[in-house]
Amino acid sequence: MLVVAATLAAVPTTRAQTPDPSDIAAGMRLFRQKGNCQACHGWAGDGRKMDSQMPDGTNLRESVLTREAPIVLVKCGRPGSGMPAFDKFAYSDGRCYGKTQADLKAYPTRMPDPPSTLQAREIDLIVDFMMARIVGHGPMDHAKCVQFWDVDTDVCRGLP
């Protein structure tokens, strides 16, 4: 996390006000579909991944992050881990952690390619969704599940 904090100034971010509900919905779609974040982090962001072939993702529900940290992590990934960089140019010019593609070769674990790259606005939408519904919200229960989906779905009915 120290590396992330040191590079926040190097990675420009936009500051969202209170996100619009339509932005939260768009962020959820991006989280689930284009970014396929649920494959590693689980649909609820609790680290219970959806695909056994994917790396183990962090439990984001237990995280205590400011909005800036996940923006950097989504853009830049985590070198030496299974977290991919979703910014197409993340390691082309040193914008992420001051490193280039050549620097990444020193890590024993290669960062996977993302399912697709994301534009800055899409990253903002995913992070707004994560901050509103996942990050720091604690373990999933029935009430949080209904709030997460905006409806009492089948997946919520089995939760305490």
Side-chain angles (χ1 to χ4, degrees), residues 36-80:
N36 196 22
C37 307
Q38 68 180 3
C40 298
H41 294 284
W43 67 265
D46 58 7
R48 294 184 180 140
K49 62 188 178 179
M50 305 293 291
D51 183 342
S52 63
Q53 301 300 308
M54 300 302 288
D56 293 334
T58 301
N59 180 348
L60 302 169
R61 301 191 69 78
E62 300 298 326
S63 296
V64 184
L65 300 170
T66 63
R67 185 175 184 278
E68 290 79 15
I71 287 174
V72 171
L73 290 168
V74 173
K75 284 182 180 183
C76 301
R78 291 191 62 208

Short mmCIF file of all heavy atoms in Angstrom, two decimals, residues 36-80:
data_model
loop_
_atom_site.label_atom_id
_atom_site.label_comp_id
_atom_site.label_asym_id
_atom_site.label_seq_id
_atom_site.Cartn_x
_atom_site.Cartn_y
_atom_site.Cartn_z
N ASN A 36 -15.09 -7.76 -15.28
CA ASN A 36 -15.20 -9.12 -14.75
C ASN A 36 -14.51 -9.24 -13.39
O ASN A 36 -13.85 -10.23 -13.09
CB ASN A 36 -14.64 -10.15 -15.74
CG ASN A 36 -15.08 -11.56 -15.40
OD1 ASN A 36 -16.08 -11.76 -14.71
ND2 ASN A 36 -14.33 -12.54 -15.86
N CYS A 37 -14.66 -8.22 -12.57
CA CYS A 37 -14.04 -8.18 -11.25
C CYS A 37 -14.53 -9.33 -10.37
O CYS A 37 -13.79 -9.83 -9.52
CB CYS A 37 -14.33 -6.85 -10.56
SG CYS A 37 -13.88 -5.40 -11.55
N GLN A 38 -15.78 -9.75 -10.58
CA GLN A 38 -16.35 -10.82 -9.76
C GLN A 38 -15.65 -12.16 -9.96
O GLN A 38 -15.73 -13.02 -9.10
CB GLN A 38 -17.84 -10.94 -10.02
CG GLN A 38 -18.19 -11.44 -11.40
CD GLN A 38 -19.68 -11.54 -11.59
OE1 GLN A 38 -20.47 -11.20 -10.71
NE2 GLN A 38 -20.08 -12.03 -12.74
N ALA A 39 -14.95 -12.33 -11.08
CA ALA A 39 -14.27 -13.60 -11.31
C ALA A 39 -13.24 -13.87 -10.21
O ALA A 39 -13.03 -15.02 -9.82
CB ALA A 39 -13.58 -13.60 -12.67
N CYS A 40 -12.61 -12.82 -9.70
CA CYS A 40 -11.60 -12.98 -8.64
C CYS A 40 -12.10 -12.51 -7.27
O CYS A 40 -11.77 -13.09 -6.25
CB CYS A 40 -10.34 -12.18 -8.98
SG CYS A 40 -9.53 -12.71 -10.49
N HIS A 41 -12.88 -11.43 -7.24
CA HIS A 41 -13.32 -10.83 -5.99
C HIS A 41 -14.69 -11.33 -5.54
O HIS A 41 -15.13 -11.01 -4.44
CB HIS A 41 -13.37 -9.31 -6.10
CG HIS A 41 -12.02 -8.70 -6.30
ND1 HIS A 41 -11.11 -8.55 -5.28
CD2 HIS A 41 -11.43 -8.18 -7.41
CE1 HIS A 41 -10.01 -7.98 -5.75
NE2 HIS A 41 -10.18 -7.75 -7.04
N GLY A 42 -15.40 -12.09 -6.38
CA GLY A 42 -16.75 -12.55 -6.07
C GLY A 42 -17.79 -11.49 -6.38
O GLY A 42 -17.48 -10.31 -6.45
N TRP A 43 -19.03 -11.90 -6.58
CA TRP A 43 -20.08 -10.95 -6.94
C TRP A 43 -20.28 -9.90 -5.85
O TRP A 43 -20.63 -8.77 -6.14
CB TRP A 43 -21.40 -11.65 -7.25
CG TRP A 43 -22.06 -12.33 -6.07
CD1 TRP A 43 -21.95 -13.65 -5.72
CD2 TRP A 43 -22.91 -11.73 -5.10
NE1 TRP A 43 -22.67 -13.89 -4.58
CE2 TRP A 43 -23.28 -12.73 -4.18
CE3 TRP A 43 -23.41 -10.44 -4.91
CZ2 TRP A 43 -24.12 -12.49 -3.08
CZ3 TRP A 43 -24.25 -10.20 -3.81
CH2 TRP A 43 -24.59 -11.22 -2.93
N ALA A 44 -20.03 -10.27 -4.59
CA ALA A 44 -20.22 -9.35 -3.48
C ALA A 44 -18.95 -8.60 -3.12
O ALA A 44 -18.96 -7.78 -2.21
CB ALA A 44 -20.74 -10.10 -2.26
N GLY A 45 -17.85 -8.90 -3.80
CA GLY A 45 -16.58 -8.25 -3.49
C GLY A 45 -15.94 -8.78 -2.23
O GLY A 45 -15.06 -8.15 -1.65
N ASP A 46 -16.35 -9.97 -1.80
CA ASP A 46 -15.86 -10.54 -0.54
C ASP A 46 -14.72 -11.54 -0.72
O ASP A 46 -14.34 -12.24 0.23
CB ASP A 46 -17.00 -11.18 0.23
CG ASP A 46 -17.72 -12.27 -0.56
OD1 ASP A 46 -17.26 -12.64 -1.66
OD2 ASP A 46 -18.76 -12.74 -0.08
N GLY A 47 -14.18 -11.64 -1.93
CA GLY A 47 -13.08 -12.55 -2.18
C GLY A 47 -13.52 -13.97 -2.50
O GLY A 47 -12.68 -14.84 -2.74
N ARG A 48 -14.81 -14.22 -2.51
CA ARG A 48 -15.31 -15.55 -2.88
C ARG A 48 -15.51 -15.55 -4.39
O ARG A 48 -16.57 -15.20 -4.89
CB ARG A 48 -16.62 -15.85 -2.16
CG ARG A 48 -16.41 -15.97 -0.68
CD ARG A 48 -17.68 -16.36 0.03
NE ARG A 48 -17.42 -16.45 1.45
CZ ARG A 48 -18.24 -16.02 2.38
NH1 ARG A 48 -19.41 -15.50 2.04
NH2 ARG A 48 -17.93 -16.12 3.64
N LYS A 49 -14.45 -15.94 -5.07
CA LYS A 49 -14.40 -15.79 -6.52
C LYS A 49 -15.40 -16.68 -7.24
O LYS A 49 -15.84 -17.70 -6.72
CB LYS A 49 -12.99 -16.03 -7.02
CG LYS A 49 -12.44 -17.40 -6.75
CD LYS A 49 -10.98 -17.46 -7.11
CE LYS A 49 -10.42 -18.83 -6.77
NZ LYS A 49 -9.03 -18.92 -7.12
N MET A 50 -15.70 -16.28 -8.46
CA MET A 50 -16.69 -16.96 -9.28
C MET A 50 -16.06 -18.02 -10.18
O MET A 50 -16.73 -18.88 -10.68
CB MET A 50 -17.42 -15.95 -10.16
CG MET A 50 -18.07 -14.80 -9.41
SD MET A 50 -19.43 -15.32 -8.37
CE MET A 50 -20.61 -15.77 -9.61
N ASP A 51 -14.76 -17.92 -10.41
CA ASP A 51 -14.08 -18.79 -11.37
C ASP A 51 -12.86 -19.40 -10.70
O ASP A 51 -11.94 -18.69 -10.31
CB ASP A 51 -13.67 -17.94 -12.58
CG ASP A 51 -13.01 -18.74 -13.68
OD1 ASP A 51 -12.55 -19.87 -13.43
OD2 ASP A 51 -12.94 -18.23 -14.81
N SER A 52 -12.83 -20.71 -10.56
CA SER A 52 -11.72 -21.37 -9.85
C SER A 52 -10.40 -21.22 -10.58
O SER A 52 -9.34 -21.46 -10.00
CB SER A 52 -12.04 -22.84 -9.62
OG SER A 52 -12.17 -23.51 -10.86
N GLN A 53 -10.43 -20.84 -11.84
CA GLN A 53 -9.20 -20.66 -12.61
C GLN A 53 -8.56 -19.30 -12.37
O GLN A 53 -7.41 -19.08 -12.70
CB GLN A 53 -9.47 -20.83 -14.11
CG GLN A 53 -10.05 -22.17 -14.49
CD GLN A 53 -9.12 -23.31 -14.12
OE1 GLN A 53 -7.95 -23.30 -14.47
NE2 GLN A 53 -9.64 -24.28 -13.37
N MET A 54 -9.32 -18.37 -11.81
CA MET A 54 -8.83 -17.01 -11.63
C MET A 54 -8.07 -16.89 -10.31
O MET A 54 -8.28 -17.68 -9.39
CB MET A 54 -10.00 -16.02 -11.64
CG MET A 54 -10.79 -16.03 -12.94
SD MET A 54 -9.81 -15.65 -14.38
CE MET A 54 -9.54 -13.92 -14.14
N PRO A 55 -7.19 -15.89 -10.21
CA PRO A 55 -6.46 -15.68 -8.95
C PRO A 55 -7.42 -15.31 -7.81
O PRO A 55 -8.52 -14.85 -8.05
CB PRO A 55 -5.53 -14.49 -9.25
CG PRO A 55 -5.54 -14.32 -10.73
CD PRO A 55 -6.81 -14.94 -11.24
N ASP A 56 -6.96 -15.53 -6.58
CA ASP A 56 -7.76 -15.16 -5.42
C ASP A 56 -7.74 -13.65 -5.28
O ASP A 56 -6.68 -13.04 -5.18
CB ASP A 56 -7.19 -15.79 -4.15
CG ASP A 56 -7.34 -17.30 -4.15
OD1 ASP A 56 -8.27 -17.81 -4.82
OD2 ASP A 56 -6.54 -17.98 -3.47
N GLY A 57 -8.90 -13.04 -5.28
CA GLY A 57 -9.01 -11.59 -5.12
C GLY A 57 -9.15 -11.21 -3.66
O GLY A 57 -9.61 -11.99 -2.82
N THR A 58 -8.79 -10.00 -3.35
CA THR A 58 -8.90 -9.45 -2.00
C THR A 58 -10.36 -9.33 -1.60
O THR A 58 -11.22 -9.06 -2.43
CB THR A 58 -8.25 -8.05 -1.98
OG1 THR A 58 -6.89 -8.18 -2.37
CG2 THR A 58 -8.33 -7.41 -0.62
N ASN A 59 -10.64 -9.49 -0.32
CA ASN A 59 -11.96 -9.22 0.23
C ASN A 59 -12.10 -7.71 0.34
O ASN A 59 -11.57 -7.09 1.26
CB ASN A 59 -12.13 -9.89 1.59
CG ASN A 59 -13.49 -9.63 2.20
OD1 ASN A 59 -14.26 -8.78 1.74
ND2 ASN A 59 -13.80 -10.35 3.25
N LEU A 60 -12.77 -7.10 -0.60
CA LEU A 60 -12.93 -5.65 -0.64
C LEU A 60 -13.92 -5.15 0.41
O LEU A 60 -13.88 -3.99 0.79
CB LEU A 60 -13.38 -5.22 -2.04
CG LEU A 60 -12.45 -5.62 -3.17
CD1 LEU A 60 -13.12 -5.40 -4.51
CD2 LEU A 60 -11.14 -4.87 -3.07
N ARG A 61 -14.78 -6.01 0.89
CA ARG A 61 -15.78 -5.61 1.88
C ARG A 61 -15.13 -5.28 3.22
O ARG A 61 -15.66 -4.51 3.99
CB ARG A 61 -16.84 -6.70 2.05
CG ARG A 61 -17.58 -7.02 0.73
CD ARG A 61 -18.78 -7.89 0.96
NE ARG A 61 -19.81 -7.17 1.66
CZ ARG A 61 -20.63 -6.28 1.08
NH1 ARG A 61 -20.53 -6.02 -0.20
NH2 ARG A 61 -21.55 -5.66 1.79
N GLU A 62 -13.99 -5.88 3.49
CA GLU A 62 -13.28 -5.64 4.75
C GLU A 62 -12.24 -4.54 4.60
O GLU A 62 -11.60 -4.16 5.58
CB GLU A 62 -12.61 -6.93 5.23
CG GLU A 62 -13.59 -8.07 5.49
CD GLU A 62 -14.61 -7.76 6.58
OE1 GLU A 62 -14.28 -7.05 7.54
OE2 GLU A 62 -15.75 -8.24 6.45
N SER A 63 -12.04 -4.04 3.40
CA SER A 63 -11.03 -3.01 3.15
C SER A 63 -11.45 -1.68 3.73
O SER A 63 -12.62 -1.35 3.81
CB SER A 63 -10.81 -2.82 1.64
OG SER A 63 -10.30 -3.98 1.07
N VAL A 64 -10.45 -0.90 4.11
CA VAL A 64 -10.67 0.46 4.58
C VAL A 64 -9.83 1.34 3.67
O VAL A 64 -8.68 1.65 3.96
CB VAL A 64 -10.25 0.63 6.06
CG1 VAL A 64 -10.59 2.02 6.56
CG2 VAL A 64 -10.89 -0.42 6.93
N LEU A 65 -10.39 1.68 2.52
CA LEU A 65 -9.67 2.45 1.50
C LEU A 65 -10.36 3.77 1.22
O LEU A 65 -11.58 3.86 1.29
CB LEU A 65 -9.61 1.65 0.19
CG LEU A 65 -8.95 0.29 0.21
CD1 LEU A 65 -9.20 -0.45 -1.11
CD2 LEU A 65 -7.46 0.43 0.47
N THR A 66 -9.57 4.76 0.87
CA THR A 66 -10.14 5.99 0.35
C THR A 66 -10.45 5.74 -1.12
O THR A 66 -10.00 4.74 -1.69
CB THR A 66 -9.14 7.16 0.47
OG1 THR A 66 -8.00 6.85 -0.33
CG2 THR A 66 -8.74 7.40 1.92
N ARG A 67 -11.15 6.62 -1.76
CA ARG A 67 -11.52 6.45 -3.16
C ARG A 67 -10.29 6.40 -4.08
O ARG A 67 -10.29 5.71 -5.09
CB ARG A 67 -12.45 7.60 -3.59
CG ARG A 67 -12.98 7.44 -5.01
CD ARG A 67 -14.00 8.53 -5.33
NE ARG A 67 -14.56 8.32 -6.63
CZ ARG A 67 -13.98 8.70 -7.76
NH1 ARG A 67 -12.82 9.31 -7.75
NH2 ARG A 67 -14.57 8.46 -8.93
N GLU A 68 -9.24 7.10 -3.74
CA GLU A 68 -8.07 7.18 -4.61
C GLU A 68 -7.33 5.84 -4.73
O GLU A 68 -6.85 5.50 -5.81
CB GLU A 68 -7.10 8.26 -4.12
CG GLU A 68 -7.61 9.68 -4.30
CD GLU A 68 -8.62 10.12 -3.24
OE1 GLU A 68 -8.75 9.46 -2.19
OE2 GLU A 68 -9.31 11.13 -3.49
N ALA A 69 -7.23 5.09 -3.65
CA ALA A 69 -6.47 3.83 -3.67
C ALA A 69 -7.04 2.82 -4.68
O ALA A 69 -6.29 2.27 -5.48
CB ALA A 69 -6.37 3.24 -2.27
N PRO A 70 -8.36 2.54 -4.68
CA PRO A 70 -8.87 1.60 -5.67
C PRO A 70 -8.74 2.11 -7.10
O PRO A 70 -8.58 1.31 -8.03
CB PRO A 70 -10.33 1.39 -5.29
CG PRO A 70 -10.58 2.12 -4.06
CD PRO A 70 -9.37 2.89 -3.68
N ILE A 71 -8.78 3.43 -7.30
CA ILE A 71 -8.59 3.95 -8.66
C ILE A 71 -7.20 3.57 -9.15
O ILE A 71 -7.04 3.06 -10.26
CB ILE A 71 -8.81 5.48 -8.71
CG1 ILE A 71 -10.30 5.79 -8.57
CG2 ILE A 71 -8.26 6.07 -10.00
CD1 ILE A 71 -10.63 7.25 -8.45
N VAL A 72 -6.20 3.78 -8.31
CA VAL A 72 -4.83 3.42 -8.69
C VAL A 72 -4.72 1.91 -8.91
O VAL A 72 -4.11 1.47 -9.89
CB VAL A 72 -3.81 3.90 -7.63
CG1 VAL A 72 -2.42 3.34 -7.92
CG2 VAL A 72 -3.77 5.42 -7.58
N LEU A 73 -5.30 1.12 -8.03
CA LEU A 73 -5.20 -0.33 -8.15
C LEU A 73 -5.88 -0.86 -9.41
O LEU A 73 -5.38 -1.78 -10.04
CB LEU A 73 -5.76 -1.01 -6.90
CG LEU A 73 -4.91 -0.82 -5.65
CD1 LEU A 73 -5.67 -1.27 -4.40
CD2 LEU A 73 -3.60 -1.56 -5.78
N VAL A 74 -7.02 -0.29 -9.77
CA VAL A 74 -7.70 -0.73 -11.00
C VAL A 74 -6.89 -0.29 -12.22
O VAL A 74 -6.67 -1.07 -13.14
CB VAL A 74 -9.16 -0.22 -11.06
CG1 VAL A 74 -9.78 -0.54 -12.41
CG2 VAL A 74 -9.98 -0.83 -9.93
N LYS A 75 -6.42 0.95 -12.23
CA LYS A 75 -5.64 1.43 -13.37
C LYS A 75 -4.34 0.66 -13.52
O LYS A 75 -3.99 0.24 -14.62
CB LYS A 75 -5.29 2.92 -13.18
CG LYS A 75 -6.40 3.87 -13.44
CD LYS A 75 -5.92 5.30 -13.27
CE LYS A 75 -7.05 6.25 -13.54
NZ LYS A 75 -6.62 7.65 -13.45
N CYS A 76 -3.62 0.50 -12.41
CA CYS A 76 -2.25 0.00 -12.45
C CYS A 76 -2.09 -1.46 -12.07
O CYS A 76 -1.01 -2.03 -12.26
CB CYS A 76 -1.37 0.85 -11.53
SG CYS A 76 -1.36 2.60 -11.96
N GLY A 77 -3.10 -2.08 -11.52
CA GLY A 77 -2.95 -3.44 -11.06
C GLY A 77 -1.99 -3.50 -9.89
O GLY A 77 -1.67 -2.48 -9.28
N ARG A 78 -1.51 -4.70 -9.59
CA ARG A 78 -0.50 -4.89 -8.54
C ARG A 78 0.61 -5.75 -9.12
O ARG A 78 0.44 -6.97 -9.25
CB ARG A 78 -1.11 -5.56 -7.32
CG ARG A 78 -2.09 -4.63 -6.62
CD ARG A 78 -2.53 -5.12 -5.28
NE ARG A 78 -1.40 -5.21 -4.38
CZ ARG A 78 -1.33 -6.06 -3.37
NH1 ARG A 78 -2.31 -6.89 -3.14
NH2 ARG A 78 -0.28 -6.10 -2.60
N PRO A 79 1.73 -5.14 -9.47
CA PRO A 79 2.85 -5.92 -10.01
C PRO A 79 3.21 -7.07 -9.07
O PRO A 79 3.22 -6.92 -7.85
CB PRO A 79 3.98 -4.90 -10.10
CG PRO A 79 3.28 -3.59 -10.26
CD PRO A 79 2.05 -3.71 -9.39
N GLY A 80 3.46 -8.22 -9.65
CA GLY A 80 3.83 -9.40 -8.88
C GLY A 80 2.65 -10.14 -8.29
O GLY A 80 2.81 -11.05 -7.50
#
